[in-house]
Amino acid sequence: MNQAALSSFIWSVADLLRGDYKPHEYGQVILPFTVLRRLDCVLAPTKDKVLAEHRKKTDAGVNPDPFLRRKVGEAKFYNVSPMDLPKLLGDQDHIKQNLYAYLQDFSPEARDIFERFDFHAQVERLAKSNLLYLVTEKFANIDLHPDRVDNAQMGHVFEELIRKFAELSNETAGEHFTPREVIRLMVNLIFIEDDDVLTPGNAVVRTIYDPTAGTGGMLSVAAEHLVAHNPAARLTLFGQELNDESYAICKADMLIRGQDVGNIVAGNTLSDDGHAARRFDYMLSNPPFGVEWKKVEKVVRKEHEDKGFDGRFGPGLPRVSDGSMLFLLHLVSKMRPAVDGGSRFGIVLNASPLFTGGAGSGESEIRRYLLENDLVEAIIGLPTDMFYNTGIATYVWIVSNKKPDDRRGWLQLIDASSFWRKMRKSLGSKRKEMGEDDIAIVTRLFGDFIEAERVSVLDADGNTVEECIVTGTQDAPVAPEGGRLKRVPVSRIFRNEEFGYTTLTVERPQRDEAGNIVLGQKGKQKGKPQPDSSLRDTENVPLGQDIGEYFKREVLPHAPDAWIDEAKSKVGYEIPFNRHFYVFEPPRPLEQIDTELKQVSASIMKMLEGLAE
């Protein structure tokens, strides 16, 4: 059964629920039953061995738990009930009691999944509505064993269902998962420079962490990517998730993958770090952006003030209206020290962290810390309309404390906003997707650490004849006769300090009614010109430029009586991403526009004459 058919089949359960459940409540039944059937199918091949071993060890008075875990193979859970969903259908009159008993016989980590779903409440409700047997029958008749539906397909199914339920309840699906092609791009970028990990046969062990794990999509894609390139490598997955339903699905996926589910923690990452003592080799995250952090403000501010740089939020705090940069700092704090091998991570952010906040603000201080410590390798601008709950511009930041020698001191900006294809069917706000070729281009630009342009060959009428990506080592195509080349940068490389500036406070003196400068009368201000706050201004001077020379050149010719209040000078950083990729398009000649207008006018007049006849 393919992914679309499976999603449709599971969604058909809604037909049974309609009337007794409101549409936004369907997920409370469908999601836990889908997980239950998935676990049910995973355990089916070893069921008899587990039951026999359980009887044997119980009769001998021995704790059966460690022996049962060996019998289930890679799965990290078991069930000692003789029941499964198909067998439950054999006793319709006692299905509720038998289902409860079946759930109780799961190992503790699997039972917790259904407690997170509050599944017992749904079982009671279904039973009262005489729907429990019918819903159980629906799910008992589908085969969700990994041989039939692999982990990647199952992840897609869960994400599609969550998206639909989120739409019905007016929630944001983006809180739960990230488009798979975005994850694949991020995974490519964080692994690309690590030959030891990707070389087949190298039995290396690495860790990866997602502080906003959702249903586990990022962790799963990373694990699949590594296995595809090097089956001998092992990636241990860690995560934390706030939403109980997403956490339950993520935990189920980790169980089936044979991962230690103790590595997936429930709770709010910002206020209660579930992996406080750990550092990781790789990290991925798509935190909620544009979401305020007021609920955890007290705890976060206390950590910032009490621990400073010994805590997670030493560099600064962003405004309360958007907490995404707190997750950025959280990931920086989780980086393995460079002397121990270092770390690299990718995080999805909106445009705000690039430039919000002037010199001295929390956002600017965070950017300053990252750039002055040479931690940002690249920022990639993604196409708009890529995410399910928003059409705004998004950016992938690649951050590392183990930069190769040729990258040290530099930051690469890649504009991938034009690397997309239109989806056959929109999903919420998602209308575009990055194809494999698009992902490959971005990966190559990053991996080769090169500047590049998109060159379009235009004919005499301005139509695009050909397009290609040209690097500095390649020759551009030749324009046809009467045509021209249109060149748009897609990859640029800058020194870190090029994004820094000093904000100067420029003062001008107060003057009395006669136009004389007012001087101070007391203390340190005695005899000095007093500033007029209404004439106060600021100037941003790029780092590296001589402030005195700048002041003489740009300020004094216009305000000879001005001076700099050096006590108020502040260093700031911003990354004006779009400015570095802007290409001026000269307007078309007036003669051409005039000719077109005359042609349109003549066409309209001809149509009107036809109507008059």
Side-chain angles (χ1 to χ4, degrees):
M1 184 180 293
N2 64 37
Q3 176 190 323
L6 181 59
S7 295
S8 297
F9 179 82
I10 295 173
W11 187 248
S12 72
V13 177
D15 292 335
L16 293 175
L17 302 177
R18 191 169 289 113
D20 294 283
Y21 279 78
K22 295 177 181 178
H24 72 270
E25 297 176 314
Y26 295 164
Q28 297 170 16
V29 174
I30 293 175
L31 288 174
F33 260 105
T34 305
V35 171
L36 179 59
R37 183 54 178 155
R38 176 69 163 180
L39 301 185
D40 201 39
C41 293
V42 167
L43 294 179
T46 60
K47 186 82 169 177
D48 293 339
K49 292 179 182 178
V50 168
L51 293 178
E53 187 72 10
H54 183 252
R55 283 193 300 269
K56 180 180 175 182
K57 298 305 179 189
T58 303
D59 291 345
V62 177
N63 178 15
D65 182 84
F67 301 95
L68 299 180
R69 293 184 186 278
R70 292 175 197 158
K71 293 294 181 182
V72 293
E74 287 189 4
K76 293 286 187 179
F77 67 103
Y78 57 82
N79 187 301
V80 295
S81 169
M83 292 285 185
D84 55 23
L85 284 192
K87 289 179 181 176
L88 286 172
L89 301 178
D91 187 358
Q92 184 172 352
D93 293 336
H94 299 94
I95 190 168
K96 183 176 80 170
Q97 298 93 311
N98 291 339
L99 180 56
Y100 281 145
Y102 176 51
L103 292 171
Q104 192 60 36
D105 283 336
F106 273 107
S107 51
E109 56 280 298
R111 282 203 305 274
D112 178 59
I113 291 170
F114 298 100
E115 290 170 7
R116 295 283 175 180
F117 277 123
D118 196 15
F119 191 42
H120 280 61
Q122 299 310 318
V123 171
E124 290 290 334
R125 186 173 173 183
L126 289 168
K128 287 180 181 178
S129 304
N130 295 317
L131 291 172
L132 183 58
Y133 181 86
L134 294 173
V135 171
T136 304
E137 183 181 37
K138 274 271 190 184
F139 283 96
N141 287 321
I142 58 173
D143 184 358
L144 297 183
H145 189 274
D147 290 344
R148 293 290 305 278
V149 184
D150 65 28
N151 289 329
Q153 287 178 303
M154 202 69 232
H156 279 297
V157 169
F158 279 124
E159 291 175 354
E160 175 67 6
L161 292 174
I162 286 175
R163 185 189 65 79
K164 287 183 176 180
F165 298 139
E167 286 179 354
L168 290 171
S169 58
N170 292 319
E171 293 179 357
T172 50
E175 291 179 0
H176 300 284
F177 63 101
T178 310
R180 287 297 169 112
E181 72 270 24
V182 175
I183 302 175
R184 288 199 299 275
L185 172 62
M186 294 172 70
V187 169
N188 279 2
L189 299 181
I190 66 169
F191 281 123
I192 192 170
E193 294 172 355
D194 294 340
D195 294 336
D196 289 347
V197 176
L198 299 177
T199 301
N202 281 2
V204 296
V205 178
R206 295 289 188 268
T207 57
I208 189 166
Y209 167 64
D210 183 351
T212 53
T215 59
M218 284 192 164
L219 297 174
S220 299
V221 172
E224 290 157 9
H225 177 89
L226 191 56
V227 168
H229 285 79
N230 179 16
R234 175 167 176 76
L235 196 61
T236 306
L237 313 181
F238 293 82
Q240 185 162 350
E241 173 54 34
L242 176 61
N243 179 278
D244 272 345
E245 283 187 352
S246 298
Y247 169 77
I249 292 171
C250 181
K251 191 172 181 180
D253 186 44
M254 296 304 117
L255 278 176
I256 293 162
R257 289 180 180 277
Q259 291 283 335
D260 182 354
V261 293
N263 294 342
I264 307 299
V265 179
N268 190 310
T269 302
L270 298 180
S271 60
D272 186 16
D273 183 2
H275 299 283
R278 289 191 178 274
R279 300 293 180 270
F280 305 97
D281 299 301
Y282 307 104
M283 292 171 277
L284 292 167
S285 181
N286 175 20
F289 36 76
V291 177
E292 66 175 27
W293 49 281
K294 198 169 186 64
K295 289 182 180 179
V296 296
E297 182 178 5
K298 185 176 180 180
V299 177
V300 170
R301 288 197 182 280
K302 181 173 174 54
E303 181 174 339
H304 170 67
E305 293 163 4
D306 292 354
K307 294 185 177 181
F309 283 89
D310 292 329
R312 295 175 291 168
F313 311 119
L317 300 177
R319 62 200 66 197
V320 177
S321 59
D322 188 354
S324 58
M325 292 188 86
L326 293 177
F327 287 97
L328 177 61
L329 287 178
H330 171 78
L331 290 179
V332 169
S333 77
K334 294 294 182 186
M335 299 177 87
R336 194 181 300 284
V339 294
D340 296 330
S343 299
R344 180 177 293 107
F345 70 78
I347 183 171
V348 181
L349 299 170
N350 64 0
S352 178
L354 293 170
F355 52 78
T356 298
S361 67
E363 292 90 348
S364 178
E365 287 298 290
I366 294 170
R367 290 189 292 270
R368 179 179 183 179
Y369 177 82
L370 291 169
L371 292 169
E372 291 188 351
N373 286 279
D374 197 20
L375 294 176
V376 187
E377 282 194 292
I379 299 174
I380 298 94
L382 299 178
T384 56
D385 300 322
M386 281 281 288
F387 287 76
Y388 301 91
N389 65 321
T390 179
I392 65 173
T394 50
Y395 300 81
V396 173
W397 292 48
I398 303 299
V399 180
S400 174
N401 62 354
K402 55 176 183 178
K403 282 187 176 184
D405 290 343
D406 61 338
R407 282 189 180 270
R408 288 180 182 167
W410 299 90
L411 169 57
Q412 183 178 15
L413 302 182
I414 300 175
D415 181 10
S417 60
S418 60
F419 300 153
W420 58 273
R421 64 190 182 195
K422 189 174 182 179
M423 295 178 64
R424 285 177 293 179
K425 181 182 178 183
S426 297
L427 296 173
S429 296
K430 182 174 174 58
R431 300 176 180 85
K432 300 174 184 175
E433 62 183 358
M434 295 183 77
E436 290 302 323
D437 291 344
D438 299 315
I439 293 173
I441 291 172
V442 177
T443 303
R444 180 173 64 84
L445 291 174
F446 174 79
D448 292 345
F449 190 49
I450 51 176
E451 294 198 328
E453 296 177 316
R454 177 190 288 274
V455 178
S456 302
V457 180
L458 307 179
D459 62 20
D461 296 324
N463 300 313
T464 301
V465 177
E466 177 190 353
E467 279 191 338
C468 59
I469 303 298
V470 177
T471 67
T473 60
Q474 296 173 310
D475 294 327
V478 179
E481 186 176 349
R484 63 184 179 90
L485 298 182
K486 178 182 176 183
R487 313 177 78 109
V488 178
V490 294
S491 175
R492 300 195 63 189
I493 298 171
F494 301 89
R495 299 291 310 184
N496 290 334
E497 56 266 25
E498 291 183 63
F499 300 104
Y501 61 91
T502 303
T503 296
L504 309 177
T505 299
V506 178
E507 301 283 12
R508 295 183 65 186
Q510 291 183 31
R511 294 180 182 272
D512 59 24
E513 293 180 358
N516 299 314
I517 294 175
V518 176
L519 302 177
Q521 301 298 317
K522 297 180 180 178
K524 293 181 180 180
Q525 294 298 315
K526 188 173 182 179
K528 293 182 179 179
Q530 295 302 290
D532 186 339
S533 60
S534 65
L535 298 176
R536 183 175 296 145
D537 202 356
T538 58
E539 291 279 338
N540 289 340
V541 183
L543 292 184
Q545 285 197 23
D546 185 280
I547 290 176
E549 290 296 325
Y550 178 92
F551 188 70
K552 289 178 184 176
R553 183 179 71 250
E554 301 292 339
V555 178
L556 290 181
H558 309 286
D561 56 359
W563 74 91
I564 300 171
D565 186 343
E566 295 183 357
K568 294 178 181 177
S569 294
K570 296 178 181 178
V571 173
Y573 279 82
E574 68 173 10
I575 304 170
F577 190 96
N578 291 336
R579 185 194 305 167
H580 292 301
F581 293 97
Y582 173 75
V583 176
F584 175 70
E585 279 284 320
R588 292 181 298 156
L590 290 175
E591 295 80 4
Q592 183 181 348
I593 296 173
D594 190 48
T595 300
E596 290 182 6
L597 287 173
K598 288 178 179 177
Q599 290 174 346
V600 172
S601 298
S603 176
I604 292 173
M605 292 302 297
K606 191 172 182 180
M607 292 169 63
L608 291 174
E609 289 171 3
L611 289 173
E613 294 174 358

